[in-house]
Amino acid sequence: MAGNRRSILSGSPPSLSGKAFALVDTLLHKVLDPSLPTPPLKVAASRPDQGSILKHPSEKEFLAQVAPKSVGELPLPSFDPGIFNNEILKMKLFPVVDPKNPLDVQEPEGNIVEGTYMGTQLALTQAYSRIEQTFASLLDVLGVEPTLPRFIPLEEQKKLYQYTSYPNDANGKKAYPPHLDHIPKDQEVNQFHIFNAIGLIETQVILQKITPEEDGFVGKTKQWLLERARAGAFGGDPQKGFKIQDVVDYNKYHRKFGTDIAEGGNIGLLDDWYSDRRFADQQFTGTNPTTITKATPAWIADFVKAAKVGAYDKWANVLAKADPASLFVQDGSYFRKAVGETNAEATLTFKPEFVDQNWCVGAVSLFQLHEDGKLHPVAICIDHKGTIEKSVTIFNKRLSPNDSTASEKEDWPWRYAKTCAQVTDWIRHELTVHLTLSHFVEEAIIVGTNRTIPMDHPLYRLLSPHWYKTLSLNAAARASLVPQVVCDIVGITPDQSMSFIQDAYDTYDFVGSYIPNDLKRRGFPSTLDGLKHPRYKNYAYAKNMLALWGVLRTYVKSMLEIHFPDDKAVAADENIQAWAKEIQTAAAMPSFPAVTTLDGLIDATTMCIHIASPFHSAVNYLQSFYQAFVVAKPPSLCSAPPTTLDQLKAIKEAHLVAALPINRQRQWLLAAQVPWLLSFKVEDERSLLNFAASQWNVYKHKKKANEQKVRDSSQALYVNLQALQKQFFYNSTGMDKGSIPYMVLDPGLTAVSILI
């Protein structure tokens, strides 16, 4: 870790007394020249001095960081690249090219048939990193994401940046939303065609090739799983079979370390990870705090009806008296329509090639937001099948967040229902909110911008810093992560997954997703003053995101006004007009606005930056914390869900265990690997705060009037972002006692672009 690095010349860091002496020395030191730069006092106090350079660490300090005696005890963050390469070659996990015809490429003949959980996890991490590098190399050579920047005239940009066909590809199959065509249509250079043949075969199969099938896992973890399974098998000792607590203990004592924003922590380390409180909190500060919405009168009436039919009389009375504005839903009722299933009662299920059958559900969860800010789960329709009457709906035994929690742990029917809700949110979040509404929407805008806006245009210069690495990352996800990992662990077919992604893209409302508009549409205040009400004290995402929107919009406004003083200037700019039309049509995003006013341009530009930076950070960087402990939020069910309320009420712990991938090591690994791959902590130099400081440093000595305006705008952005750091801390500490801290939108942690 960066914080643990020591210079080979430095025996130990400065001591506390040494720092104090250095600080006093700095204050008393004679200044050579007042015009010379001086480091801040905190930096000056921590710099090495003669004493720290010549001092050895104590024996205890040194021995604490010596490698363990046993090679098996050394934490292995990654395989050595050379060792990894040798193993790939040895296992014949590479495509074979016909030397007489470079376009004739055969799929790798090898497979890894046996491996440990940890080894496979490391190999997947290494392989996916190589896939990203492969696409980064291609886009570097093409000039799309060059290592060293190049100025490309607009006419050449149009040739280079071409959209793929949509909604179907050239073969008539469903396609991903409009994105960069990696092999330009007029590109006749043979090497690119060779890459298309070789590189794509490598990226499209390598993750599956290095992941053993279920029977191929070996090692201590696999042996432990087998022993637990045998103990609970026919004729064995059922009481020694799998328990949820087994998984909790495994997570606590045997998991790998972390490099994510939570430093390897996950929700499974909390004693109450399964509770109503943690389930409700995730709607406001989890991986997907973006879709909880005020319940419509129709939803309220449906749940009242379900309460009466299910003999939940107390809840029927509570709902009848409740303020409708206090009721919210997470609505997965649209799932069947979104995946292209016309039968509203059809079972959503899929049997991947390498694992057992999975099931998907479209759950609808009802919550009540109390005046003191506590969100409480009321009821869950575990899989909405067209109408509430044809669906199974269960109500919480606890009428209030203040009711006793003593029975929560053993309330298996309710815990099963919450698991169904988490499965619904996993797929909604992963395939739509995160992948489509962040990665794919932003890519469509990047391509459209490059096709219509010259590189020296102020709009291009304003947007382009927020595109770093996005196109190559997206290409890697389309080629490997989605088809080789995600599609193996969800309960819908690959074709249905594609329909689900297309539905999210086709129904996206660009203007409606501006943060003030989005909050208002979902039933929350759209002003910072409105969100100060105690009712919203736990919705830190809303508070932080609205504040960030305001700061970013102020910055964008100041930058655009340098070149566009009024509406006429915007309307007269042919490139901007072409930009809006291109995204509406070629990018198949009709909700993108017609940009004819300065305010309209400011809002649209702010949104483009918002998607790439704070929005993506919010829905990406908490994935490992909430999803790496797979039982807390699985991607699918491993057994068919109940079809009647009586069946659901009869659920015991063994039924919940059977619904989770506890004894599916391959599936568990892949489900844990997705958030692991996507949650690596943002490097300091890639943060939003560092972006503002970098731009200010570049412009601080420039003399031209417009350049000084950029300097001033950058300084204001930095000052405002730095103030938000403190405000976000207070928003986090202002939540209910015992809440999981919510600092993912700290501008020092928020990525400036979609980096991962």
Side-chain angles (χ1 to χ4, degrees), residues 191-244:
Q191 286 86 336
F192 295 134
H193 290 295
I194 293 173
F195 170 85
N196 198 29
I198 302 174
L200 291 185
I201 284 183
E202 289 178 329
T203 59
Q204 288 169 359
V205 300
I206 186 64
L207 297 187
Q208 287 183 342
K209 292 284 184 181
I210 65 175
T211 308
E213 295 184 28
E214 189 62 44
D215 293 339
F217 280 94
V218 296
K220 294 179 180 179
T221 299
K222 179 64 175 181
Q223 189 60 35
W224 175 75
L225 287 168
L226 287 173
E227 288 173 359
R228 299 299 288 180
R230 289 191 191 109
F234 296 109
D237 301 313
Q239 71 276 11
K240 295 181 180 179
F242 276 114
K243 304 287 185 182
I244 299 293

Side-chain angles (χ1 to χ4, degrees), residues 585-628:
T585 56
M589 198 184 300
S591 64
F592 195 86
V595 182
T596 57
T597 65
L598 180 56
D599 270 344
L601 178 61
I602 292 168
D603 283 333
T605 306
T606 302
M607 184 63 177
C608 294
I609 297 173
H610 161 78
I611 295 169
S613 184
F615 181 76
H616 178 260
S617 290
V619 301
N620 181 76
Y621 289 100
L622 292 178
Q623 289 181 97
S624 189
F625 182 84
Y626 286 104
Q627 294 172 206

